[in-house]
Amino acid sequence: MQPAPRRWRLSDAEPLPGLHPVVGKVLAARGYDLAAASAFLDVTGGYHDPFGLPAMEAAVEAITSTIAEGGTIAVYGDYDADGVTACAMLTRCLRASGATVIPYIPNRMTEGYGLHAAALAELAGRGARCVITVDCGTSSVDVALGRPATMRLVVTDHHLALAPGGSPPQLAPADALVNPKLPGSTYAFDGLAGAGVAFKLVQALETRGVVPAGSADASLGLAALGTIADMMPLRGENRVIVRDGLPRIVDLPGLRALCEVAGISPPPRGTDIAFAVGPRINAAGRMEDARLALELCLCDDPDESMRLATDLDTQNRLRQQAVAIALAQAEEQVAAIDDDAAAIVLGDPEWPMGIVGLVAGRIAERYARPTFVACLDPLEAKGSARSAGGVHIVKALDGAATSLLRYGGHAAAAGFSLDPARFDEFRELITASVGEQNAGLERIRDFSIDCEISGVDVTPELCHALDQLEPSGQGNPAPLLAVCGARVLGTSTFGSDGQHVRVALATGSGIVEAIAFNKPNLAGHLPRGRLVDACFGLEVDSFQGLQRVRARLRDLRPARAVALSGQPVVAAASARGAGSPAG
């Protein structure tokens, strides 16, 4: 199989009047009229009533009763950044109220995702009278039924998967089940992250005086981090949480230390969280134990915070190395797959389970095919799936359910497990199931470019104008800009292994300094004097009081006469190696 060809789509929309020309062009390219753009740029929006969420009243009652009785509360999270930040958030707030709190994060390798009966038994043995789940628990029917008789269970979650065959979901019988996606929910926004739902619980608890005044404001940094790291759409209430929370992230000593280790100057931007902070939080759960990340989020001592942040940075480097090795091996397997295969299904017993989702994401993006990657452990193979081409991953897994032990997730991503002896059977079933959804769909990678500019436009002033569109992320991507017919002035590599590339491009009457991370072979495609088109995001790099603008490359292609505005141009095969450097 060959990488999917790439296609640029250049908007032909006229800039909206009354705005910075590039900002007006970006918003117009995204379909905003002047009224919608004004509403989008208005940063005075507030929050919805937390008691509008299903069972929020019952959740507050269960927690209040436990605290009044002097009972211990356990907060049961998940091992990703969303679950870790939500667990830390509730632990901090409830401890501030005087409650005895046990934070608990399951181990990805030995326990796996979700609520576990053995863990509840252990927590009961440690005196927990009430367990609050965050980012999990909605579908844990049997575990909730079998919990210790005296244990209250409050589930806060944002996942909701249909049962196989599309039948209504089974819901855990808890004292309270708080989830904006529940059938019949009338809450105004259903796109909250697990950390967002936990934040709404903090708001409700503060309203009733259960936790100290100011608890919700103090939780915004963790809520923003979890929302971005879990790739939730930055619209509606998520946009408000992230907008207000980004400046608060460095209020916590642990997260301030992590930003410092990652080379991020406060306040962090959404892209800083997505590409630097979130991956370091996630690295702990992928490589060893997410409790290291939890300790960091709970730590208030600056020296200890720096030690923990350094450990997380080390874990992240190990994660990067493991992904690079597995990705190279995965590419060898992909090369043997037919170009017209509906899905990519890969497995290896040596791939760490904690990184298979990252490998699946990279492969799905590069080849524009739904991808299923498994660690073929001899006892139980465990894998992750990532969508492409509009395929609903869970519905695809429904079609292969007879070969699986368990699976779950949502339209874009899922996890699954199976007997490794049935992996070939699974490959056949899932390929056929995906084919039923995407038969005849075009396999291509689209780059929707908001605005073409010249090198002279690349200034700190433009970056500050584009800040009006922040916070950017899922559902509100950072503006994708392009320069066409740029001449390569020079190319160099940097990084410990020369894995990153820096290139200077002359265009119009200006020069664009661009960087591409983890693309060591790119330099060979950029000899001095070559004419290229480049698309990128912009960022300001501040050093010793000076501001320098650089472009983070997304794609390059040989320069050509661009088609009529708004019309697609498919990239030539020779440019494939330069695709998506930011990845």
Side-chain angles (χ1 to χ4, degrees), residues 312-327:
L312 278 179
D313 189 60
T314 299
Q315 290 295 318
N316 190 54
R317 293 179 190 277
L318 293 174
R319 188 269 306 171
Q320 290 172 327
Q321 293 170 5
V323 169
I325 293 169
L327 195 57

Side-chain angles (χ1 to χ4, degrees), residues 407-419:
Y407 65 95
H410 48 79
F416 58 93
S417 66
L418 72 159
D419 181 339

Side-chain angles (χ1 to χ4, degrees), residues 516-529:
F517 290 107
N518 299 308
K519 292 289 179 180
N521 297 327
L522 180 60
H525 294 277
L526 296 172
R528 180 178 175 85

Side-chain angles (χ1 to χ4, degrees), residues 246-306:
L246 280 173
R248 306 296 302 270
I249 285 175
V250 292
D251 290 351
L252 297 181
L255 297 182
R256 184 165 61 247
L258 192 59
C259 286
E260 183 176 340
V261 165
I264 295 168
S265 301
R269 297 166 63 90
T271 50
D272 295 326
I273 302 303
F275 294 109
V277 178
R280 285 170 168 80
I281 295 288
N282 276 323
R286 295 188 187 281
M287 302 306 296
E288 283 191 4
D289 194 324
R291 295 176 197 182
L292 174 64
L294 179 66
E295 286 182 52
L296 179 89
C297 292
L298 293 173
C299 187
D300 288 322
D301 177 78
D303 293 335
E304 178 67 5
S305 292
M306 184 54 67

Side-chain angles (χ1 to χ4, degrees), residues 207-218:
T207 298
R208 295 295 163 82
V210 181
V211 297
S215 292
D217 280 348

